[in-house]
Amino acid sequence: IADGLRIAASVSSTPMSWVAAWDNSFLGRQGMRTLINNPRAWWHAAKASHRAMFSEGAAQLIDDQLVAHPKYAQAQQAGLEHTALSTAAPYGAAEEMSAYLRPGEKIPVIGRFLRGADRAFTTSGNIMRHDPFYRMAEHMGNKWTLADYKGFADLLNVTTGRGRLGSLITVQQYLNAFIISTRNVAAEFQYPFQMFRGTKATKRIAAKWLVKEAAAYVSLLLALKAAGLRAGVNPDDRETFGRVIIGKTHFDIIPSGRRTAVTTVWRIGQKLHLREWPSPQPKYGEESLGDIASGFLSRKAPPLLSTIKMLKTGKDFKGDSISPKDALLSGMVIPWNEQDIYEAWTEESPLMAVAVA
């Protein structure tokens, strides 16, 4: 049974190796919080991850430097996550996107390209966690207790998508076959509550970071709206919330996973506040808990499951009709970033395609 589950998880996860690998998206997804709250660490990670993407030796050298730091042992004692570069490392020791890539890295030629994305993701995450921790440890020294450092390490883990799964960590590989990056999804929901977790010092830092992040997103979206672009800060407006729309092309200002988490919690909170849900007999057209959960999971489903759903319903994730051929191409063959560029080219203009790229 265990072997069967591992094979099923690998079959479901392997298409992720192809469609998600051709970029360095960690910097703009899991890394956005670091960009806002620790720009120095983000810039360090951006430079190092691109070096790592094109060189195995550079990636190993960067990792060795992190491990050789005088505060590394303290970071490990505090529980700061250090994900492994080695393809032989256990599943849970890898960045989640890297874990998706590693089965495909065994494929001749293609594996070399996947390995580059793996190194970039791993290096980005490690630097975004370790750089702020090292600087904080050097600054606070013995003024902080071990509990403070543990609280700060936990905050950095969650900030970079390494959410807590508790006892479910033992089945993470199987969960990731049905939900893209389970720990990152958990982190999106856990992050707002970090202000209530840890010591007084780390709660204060978490609250400060949350306010800075919200202010940064809202300010940017309002500025874009004031400039005459379609941009939204209202979670009720599913089309524009957290993004700017130019013609038929949308650019996510708030990363998609974060936006999905916010809108899901917002919609549930509204219904609870208005006492419209749960109700024994929902009104016609009213969303049930199942509808909300299904909508969330459908946006976080891996390529294989998304493709099966498109083939079954004849509709893509936007609700538009799609042929079986296009469902297979968009679901499991054409990399996500290439799809975005191609759509911008065909629906807008070559200039928009360049902007998307």
Side-chain angles (χ1 to χ4, degrees):
I1 293 175
D3 289 342
L5 287 173
R6 278 193 290 271
I7 292 171
S10 180
V11 169
S12 177
S13 300
T14 297
M16 281 286 290
S17 298
W18 180 263
V19 299
W22 310 95
D23 57 30
N24 191 6
S25 58
F26 194 105
L27 293 170
R29 294 185 183 276
Q30 294 92 331
M32 282 300 292
R33 289 195 169 115
T34 304
L35 175 60
I36 294 169
N37 296 308
N38 287 287
R40 174 178 163 181
W42 185 91
W43 181 241
H44 182 192
K47 292 187 294 183
S49 65
H50 281 92
R51 285 177 56 205
M53 176 178 278
F54 299 106
S55 170
E56 188 79 35
Q60 191 60 59
L61 178 61
I62 293 165
D63 197 60
D64 290 344
Q65 289 173 342
L66 285 177
V67 174
H69 194 281
K71 299 295 182 181
Y72 179 76
Q74 184 179 5
Q76 290 294 288
Q77 184 184 23
L80 190 70
E81 299 242 5
H82 176 231
T83 51
L85 270 173
S86 171
T87 57
Y91 185 93
E95 287 290 349
E96 281 186 301
M97 288 307 299
S98 295
Y100 284 116
L101 302 180
R102 288 181 182 175
E105 290 175 29
K106 300 173 183 177
I107 302 172
V109 183
I110 292 175
R112 294 185 61 183
F113 293 98
L114 300 181
R115 179 60 180 160
D118 176 352
R119 292 193 299 263
F121 289 140
T122 301
T123 301
S124 297
N126 282 334
I127 290 178
M128 288 183 197
R129 286 184 287 274
H130 287 76
D131 190 273
F133 186 94
Y134 290 161
R135 285 189 286 114
M136 183 64 78
E138 290 168 353
H139 175 67
M140 296 305 299
N142 294 328
K143 295 179 183 177
W144 266 18
T145 65
L146 178 58
D148 290 318
Y149 285 113
K150 284 185 175 181
F152 190 57
D154 182 54
L155 174 60
L156 290 171
N157 290 339
V158 171
T159 298
T160 54
R162 302 291 283 177
R164 301 176 298 275
L165 292 183
S167 59
L168 293 178
I169 195 69
T170 58
V171 292
Q172 180 192 1
Q173 181 176 2
Y174 311 125
L175 292 175
N176 278 353
F178 299 98
I179 301 174
I180 296 177
S181 302
T182 313
R183 289 191 68 177
N184 187 45
V185 172
E188 296 295 355
F189 286 94
Q190 290 166 356
Y191 181 71
F193 300 98
Q194 289 296 122
M195 67 174 73
F196 307 112
R197 182 181 174 87
T199 65
K200 184 177 179 180
T202 60
K203 289 176 183 177
R204 186 165 56 247
I205 294 172
K208 178 182 175 182
W209 285 6
L210 185 63
V211 170
K212 282 177 66 177
E213 181 183 2
Y217 283 138
V218 171
S219 299
L220 179 56
L221 289 165
L222 290 177
L224 292 169
K225 191 173 184 179
L229 299 174
R230 291 183 63 198
V233 294
N234 182 3
D236 283 329
D237 189 340
R238 299 185 198 178
E239 185 180 10
T240 65
F241 173 64
R243 56 174 49 148
V244 57
I245 300 176
I246 303 174
K248 296 180 181 179
T249 304
H250 70 260
F251 296 88
D252 288 346
I253 303 302
I254 301 177
S256 59
R258 202 156 304 162
R259 194 178 65 252
T260 299
V262 170
T263 54
T264 300
V265 173
W266 176 269
R267 287 153 63 200
I268 291 175
Q270 275 189 320
K271 291 188 175 295
L272 289 173
H273 176 69
L274 297 174
R275 297 183 180 180
E276 292 179 352
W277 172 86
S279 58
Q281 294 182 332
K283 301 174 185 177
Y284 179 76
E286 180 183 3
E287 286 183 306
S288 65
L289 174 60
D291 295 330
I292 294 173
S294 176
F296 174 78
L297 293 175
S298 67
R299 288 187 288 273
K300 299 301 294 181
L304 179 59
L305 297 184
S306 296
T307 303
I308 291 172
K309 182 179 179 181
M310 287 190 287
L311 291 171
K312 181 180 178 181
T313 62
K315 296 183 181 296
D316 64 12
F317 71 96
K318 294 181 289 186
D320 298 333
S321 296
I322 189 169
S323 68
K325 174 186 173 183
D326 289 340
L328 288 169
L329 287 173
S330 66
M332 298 180 65
V333 179
I334 305 175
W336 287 335
N337 55 356
E338 300 299 331
Q339 289 185 47
D340 293 339
I341 295 169
Y342 177 74
E343 287 180 10
W345 182 290
T346 56
E347 296 181 8
E348 296 285 344
S349 67
L351 182 62
M352 182 61 74
V354 172
V356 171

